[in-house]
Amino acid sequence: MSGSPLLRMDGVSKSFPGVRALTGVSFELRPGEVHALMGENGAGKSTLIKMLAGVHSPDSGSIEIDGHPVTVDSPQRAADLGIAVIHQELNLAPNLSVAQNLALGREPRNRWGLLDRSRLREEAVAKLERVGADIDPDTRVGRLSVGMQQLVEIARAVAQDARVLVLDEPTAALSESETQQLFTLVEEMRRRGMGLVYISHRMEEVYQLADRVTVFRDGQWVDTSSREDVTPEQVVSHMVGREFTDLYARTRRAPGEVVLEARGLGDGSGVGPVDLRLRAGEVVGLAGLIGAGRTEVARLLFGADPARTGEIRLADRPVRLRNPRDGIDNGIGLVPESRKEQALFLDMAVRDNIVVTGLGEVSDLGVLRGTRITRRVTEQVETLRVRCSSALQRVRHLSGGNQQKVVLGRWLAIQPRVLLLDEPTRGVDIGAKHEIYKIIDGLARDGVAVLVVSSDLPEVLGISDRILVMRNGEIAGELDHDEATEESVMLHATGVANGAH
Amino acid sequence: MTENSRASATAPAPEGASPGRSRAHRPDFAHLWDRYGILGVLVLMIALMAVLAPNFLTLDNAFNIARATSINAILAAGMTLVILTRGIDLSVGSNVAVSGIVAVLLWTGGMPAAVCVLGGILVGALFGLLNGALVAYLALPAFIVTLGGLTYLRGTAYLLTDGQPLVADDLGYQLMGNGFFAGVPVPVVLMLLVCLVLWFVLRHTRFGTEVYAIGGNPEAARLAGIKVRWTLVRVYLIGGACAGLAGVIFSARVMSGQPTAGETYELDAIAAVVLGGTSLMGGVGTVQRTLIGAMIIGVLSNGLLLMNVPFFYQLIIKGAVIVLAVAIDSLKNWKRS
């Protein structure tokens, strides 16, 4: 614990019209340190990052680099000061090659003033090598996986001699192996004396990587501790301002009849044959690695994609699901993987986002009936405790957790028999997670058959009565709540369990 | 309840916000501009013209403006729906010619006036249906489909008339263009009627909500059980029917079927929609604001005419005003983000 800090922010405040985003917070980063920054959505993490990136300037307070006060008033200035921010939404030109992206804005030129292609390529190879990335510099960036793109962006930051690197939810869209690769790289950058600000909702990662953990809540600094001095439970209670006893809210449930059954279900291109049964009042977890076919199965069971093989039976009656409307008419709902891309109408009101699945029920001869809409919407907003100023507020202005509740409300309103949830708590803060788990538990107790696709292993283990593990488009194993562990799920997911038989 | 409700998410929202219209929540400039800016531009424009242009501020001239605006406003109202779904309809100008010619042909063929009117509207609607089917079911880009429509419909108009105006001095439905209803020119009444109906459709019907949903997020609309393609077909059909009505009014006004009728009208209609603040990205906008957009164009043209500004300059000024209005609009969005 020695050495002067690389970066020091002291008493920093920032207000936006009507909102105090940060109030007198302090933050410090030492060379060779990974400093995790945690907090719920809206705690002020993004505002802090944007100050480092030169997007916002603080209203008051100071920023120092190597003990010298600095003003970070533009992204260019941030880069000059050696600060690089890797955002959740990556900042690359997808139609250009890796090499071109790495050199963006400082392309090497030959003596005619034209782009020097061979040098561009050589430099790219060297830059990629520094971060241990095995990527062909001629590949177009848009063709790379998200993890690879992230590597390219880190390579660019490292090449520009960044000393402060901010990683904002870097693993949110990475596969398991990509995550491991990132962790190795983080260690390497730490060893070189860079300072890393690491933002993540995933406690395991924070405990694996961070030297210190700082927690913000409601725009204020709450705590900074060394990793050894603070338990995950303490971090969570710092984040939400109260204690959590039972995060997953799973109560005793008594599964009933089989509601939905799939036999030999497949999409004709790599997924299937899949056999599965969902019972009334049961929560089934669908686990597996990214690309194992979990999302595809959920979409087939809803009718989002038509099944090419096999059959689906609802209450022992065969049904054909050719499109989402068929799914809805049969009492099946799907909360899709990506909230903003696949579920929400961001510029429409909370009200419209909820009634959209039941427009036929709230209209007569195509004319909307206000009282029926209000009743339907109010019921969901109240039972789900959606925090919005009114049902007419645009969904864009809600937090991630409240947006997800609006999507849930849309499906609860059709009173489904089967609800399929694909990554229902992704990008949602821990308080809202807990509420979503309670909603899932409530649904199961009301007799709904619930299938939850999730990459978050503790979540799957915590909420499911039964866990199905997928691998290579098929169900590779089934585990009961009591026998399932992270290890047993991973063994099935990676195929080790089957190979042993 | 936990204490972590955020100030940013709990500011009061404006009363009576509707899909695509509920925007900022603070009574600041951006918000005021959002709700009333375009109306302010219209009022400002009227005030300016009242000072500069002789005889501008008279009832007669007000009717002149409204009548001259009516065809564009009707086209623009239909275009609003199309643009709300992230589409575009470049064929409406040519459609005006064809449907007007068909209405005149029906008259010269001995049909009663009502049949001519309905026939013209129906022809417009059918070409809208064709556009919609190609866009929705073959997933062709709307720009290309309707660019083709612009061309082949113009060809059809020439073919039907042999390239000559089809004059009908005794046109039975000429009051559609030149008549008055309760002292108000009939085209103006029709314009208000179309806008009222489409306002109601967008605001108070299931179809209207589906239009906003599809424009806001087509994939989410599909996954929410909306029949996206069928809704799109109906949107283009409505746009075509508006063009058909505009064609009937045009032919009634000039008492003939003109093969050159409606040239570049599609551009004026798009300009009115965009001036009204409808996003070309879809999902945001209203018909009533499109009507104001059309009025701005109408007032400007009329005022410039009264001031005897040479035609070439009129075009330059009109174009500049459109770009300026949209620039202000996007500047506001840029400042907010």
Side-chain angles (χ1 to χ4, degrees):
Chain A
M1 294 291 153
S2 63
S4 68
L6 187 57
L7 165 77
R8 204 178 136 87
M9 303 175 82
D10 206 17
V12 171
S13 296
K14 177 73 186 176
S15 293
F16 298 104
V19 194
R20 290 205 69 146
L22 280 179
T23 312
V25 303
S26 298
F27 184 81
E28 184 194 86
L29 184 67
R30 299 175 187 140
E33 177 186 45
V34 177
H35 195 150
L37 180 56
M38 300 194 76
E40 301 200 294
N41 294 334
K45 295 168 297 181
S46 314
T47 310
L48 186 101
I49 298 174
K50 283 181 179 159
M51 286 179 183
L52 290 176
V55 177
H56 295 321
S57 298
D59 297 336
S60 61
S62 63
I63 301 178
E64 290 174 13
I65 299 268
D66 292 331
H68 303 295
V70 293
T71 319
V72 194
D73 51 7
S74 71
Q76 186 55 50
R77 180 87 184 114
D80 293 343
L81 287 167
I83 303 171
V85 179
I86 312 293
H87 289 285
Q88 278 167 277
E89 284 87 21
L90 295 173
N91 219 344
L92 298 167
N95 53 330
L96 297 183
S97 74
V98 171
Q100 283 169 318
N101 267 286
L102 284 170
L104 221 53
R106 23 193 113 184
E107 289 87 352
R109 294 175 192 283
N110 60 23
R111 64 193 138 123
W112 313 108
L114 300 172
L115 180 66
D116 187 340
R117 286 192 177 276
S118 56
R119 226 175 85 208
L120 181 78
R121 201 172 184 289
E122 281 163 30
E123 286 177 7
V125 171
K127 286 172 190 169
L128 290 169
E129 225 160 61
R130 282 180 74 179
V131 298
D134 181 21
I135 303 172
D136 176 2
D138 295 325
T139 320
R140 276 198 300 128
V141 160
R143 302 179 63 111
L144 297 175
S145 69
V146 180
M148 291 293 176
Q149 293 187 22
Q150 199 177 56
L151 273 178
V152 172
E153 220 175 319
I154 295 175
R156 185 162 70 182
V158 170
Q160 290 170 12
D161 292 321
R163 298 163 60 217
V164 175
L165 186 69
V166 182
L167 294 166
D168 186 6
E169 294 262 4
T171 59
L174 298 195
S175 69
E176 194 66 30
S177 63
E178 286 172 336
T179 302
Q180 285 313 321
Q181 195 174 357
L182 175 73
F183 288 178
T184 315
L185 183 55
V186 165
E187 289 301 335
E188 169 64 18
M189 290 189 285
R190 187 214 312 260
R191 208 180 46 74
R192 275 193 221 155
M194 287 170 67
L196 286 93
V197 182
Y198 194 90
I199 293 172
S200 175
H201 282 305
R202 297 187 182 171
M203 200 65 73
E204 301 160 69
E205 285 173 12
V206 167
Y207 270 81
Q208 188 176 340
L209 295 174
D211 300 299
R212 284 193 294 171
V213 183
T214 287
V215 178
F216 285 1
R217 183 172 74 236
D218 292 330
Q220 292 182 321
W221 175 90
V222 179
D223 181 65
T224 298
S225 306
S226 291
R227 176 184 53 183
E228 310 85 67
D229 300 339
V230 63
T231 65
E233 289 74 23
Q234 284 170 321
V235 171
V236 169
S237 64
H238 286 149
M239 281 163 64
V240 296
R242 64 198 152 93
E243 301 281 328
F244 259 110
T245 44
D246 178 20
L247 175 62
Y248 297 112
R250 181 172 174 270
T251 57
R252 284 192 72 80
R253 297 185 281 250
E257 303 278 291
V258 172
V259 180
L260 181 140
E261 181 175 7
R263 293 181 189 162
L265 192 66
D267 68 355
S269 65
V271 172
V274 166
D275 296 312
L276 62 81
R277 293 164 153 211
L278 305 179
R279 293 173 196 281
E282 178 186 45
V283 177
V284 175
L286 192 56
L289 303 176
I290 287 178
R294 299 167 304 168
T295 294
E296 289 78 358
V297 166
R299 288 174 63 93
L300 291 174
L301 292 176
F302 174 62
D305 301 316
R308 297 278 174 239
T309 61
E311 70 165 350
I312 297 171
R313 301 175 74 85
L314 262 174
D316 223 22
R317 197 171 47 82
V319 288
R320 269 198 73 195
L321 307 174
R322 293 155 301 177
N323 54 51
R325 191 73 243 168
D326 287 345
I328 294 169
D329 291 343
N330 281 295
I332 305 174
L334 170 72
V335 173
E337 191 177 11
S338 168
R339 193 160 56 236
K340 284 187 181 156
E341 280 80 42
Q342 299 174 311
L344 290 169
F345 309 103
L346 291 172
D347 288 317
M348 292 175 78
V350 169
R351 178 190 64 184
D352 300 303
N353 272 279
I354 288 176
V355 297
V356 69
T357 49
L359 289 171
E361 287 160 50
V362 297
S363 58
D364 290 325
L365 300 170
V367 177
L368 298 172
R369 309 307 304 223
T371 48
R372 260 182 269 163
I373 292 178
T374 307
R375 200 183 314 138
R376 197 176 173 106
V377 171
T378 309
E379 191 191 333
Q380 296 309 328
V381 168
E382 281 174 4
T383 53
L384 299 178
R385 296 209 248 158
V386 178
R387 278 182 281 277
C388 53
S389 58
S390 87
L392 298 177
Q393 191 178 10
R394 284 206 298 173
V395 164
R396 182 183 293 281
H397 301 300
L398 302 186
S399 69
N402 282 303
Q403 289 181 342
Q404 189 70 326
K405 287 193 214 165
V406 168
V407 178
L408 279 165
R410 166 191 301 179
W411 294 111
L412 300 200
I414 69 162
Q415 301 187 315
R417 284 191 286 178
V418 178
L419 190 58
L420 313 163
L421 303 150
D422 197 351
E423 303 287 359
T425 63
R426 177 180 287 175
V428 160
D429 64 48
I430 196 136
K433 264 187 192 175
H434 180 61
E435 290 187 69
I436 289 170
Y437 297 144
K438 279 202 285 197
I439 293 163
I440 291 173
D441 181 63
L443 280 170
R445 275 186 294 161
D446 289 343
V448 178
V450 183
L451 181 77
V452 180
V453 175
S454 175
S455 299
D456 186 338
L457 269 182
E459 169 177 296
V460 176
L461 295 170
I463 63 174
S464 311
D465 298 313
R466 201 151 55 85
I467 295 164
L468 303 174
V469 188
M470 286 196 72
R471 183 169 61 87
N472 294 336
E474 291 177 38
I475 306 261
E478 178 172 341
L479 298 160
D480 197 63
H481 174 83
D482 298 325
E483 59 174 334
T485 61
E486 294 198 22
E487 291 71 33
S488 61
V489 171
M490 284 315 291
L491 289 179
H492 285 289
T494 54
V496 177
N498 293 27
H501 286 181
Chain B
M1 295 290 280
T2 55
E3 87 249 315
N4 55 358
S5 53
R6 309 270 166 245
S8 61
T10 51
E15 291 297 308
S18 71
R21 204 152 62 83
S22 45
R23 299 193 109 188
H25 321 156
R26 281 170 272 109
D28 57 12
F29 174 75
H31 175 214
L32 286 174
W33 170 264
D34 247 13
R35 298 213 72 186
Y36 307 111
I38 191 67
L39 198 61
V41 171
L42 178 60
V43 170
L44 210 73
M45 188 82 74
I46 291 172
L48 193 71
M49 291 304 171
V51 174
L52 294 177
N55 301 325
F56 177 82
L57 216 56
T58 64
L59 189 64
D60 267 358
N61 193 45
F63 279 159
N64 277 340
I65 295 171
R67 187 159 41 203
T69 301
S70 58
I71 286 180
N72 184 31
I74 289 169
L75 291 176
M79 185 75 78
T80 304
L81 270 66
V82 174
I83 289 181
L84 276 175
T85 63
R86 303 186 176 186
I88 194 93
D89 189 346
L90 299 174
S91 70
V92 293
S94 304
N95 201 343
V96 164
V98 171
S99 39
I101 288 164
V102 168
V104 173
L105 282 173
L106 286 171
W107 175 255
T108 54
M111 289 291 161
V115 173
C116 302
V117 170
L118 291 177
I121 296 172
L122 192 69
V123 166
L126 282 175
F127 284 114
L129 180 76
L130 178 62
N131 284 336
L134 292 171
V135 169
Y137 288 95
L138 295 186
L140 301 177
F143 188 93
I144 305 297
V145 167
T146 60
L147 184 63
L150 178 148
T151 311
Y152 72 69
L153 284 175
R154 185 62 62 192
T156 308
Y158 281 113
L159 193 70
L160 287 173
T161 57
D162 208 15
Q164 299 299 316
L166 213 66
V167 182
D169 289 330
D170 59 342
L171 198 62
Y173 63 87
Q174 56 168 289
L175 66 85
M176 290 287 287
N178 301 321
F180 285 83
F181 180 85
V184 182
V186 171
V188 176
V189 174
L190 291 170
M191 165 182 87
L192 294 175
L193 214 62
V194 166
C195 289
L196 193 70
V197 167
L198 291 184
W199 165 80
F200 181 85
V201 163
L202 282 179
R203 175 101 196 230
H204 291 291
T205 69
R206 172 181 183 171
F207 169 74
T209 307
E210 291 174 347
V211 167
Y212 283 112
I214 290 170
N217 190 338
E219 176 63 5
R222 194 181 81 89
L223 288 177
I226 292 172
K227 291 180 173 161
V228 174
R229 292 187 285 202
W230 172 226
T231 305
L232 280 179
V233 167
R234 286 184 289 168
V235 163
Y236 282 88
L237 182 128
I238 289 172
C242 286
L245 177 63
V248 169
I249 295 171
F250 188 98
S251 64
R253 244 183 108 53
V254 299
M255 293 203 284
S256 57
Q258 301 277 353
T260 56
E263 270 175 352
T264 74
Y265 279 20
E266 61 281 346
L267 301 181
D268 283 340
I270 294 167
V273 174
V274 172
L275 268 179
T278 296
S279 165
L280 288 172
M281 310 300 287
V284 178
T286 63
V287 165
Q288 56 271 33
R289 291 174 58 125
T290 293
L291 178 60
I292 296 173
M295 292 297 224
I296 290 173
I297 296 175
V299 167
L300 187 64
S301 308
N302 175 275
L304 294 173
L305 205 69
L306 290 183
M307 284 188 282
N308 284 319
V309 174
F311 179 67
F312 298 165
Y313 288 103
Q314 285 184 33
L315 286 182
I316 292 170
I317 293 169
K318 268 168 73 177
V321 165
I322 290 167
V323 173
L324 196 71
V326 178
I328 292 172
D329 204 51
S330 73
L331 203 69
K332 163 206 77 189
N333 286 331
W334 176 75
K335 268 186 81 172
R336 189 179 306 152
S337 67

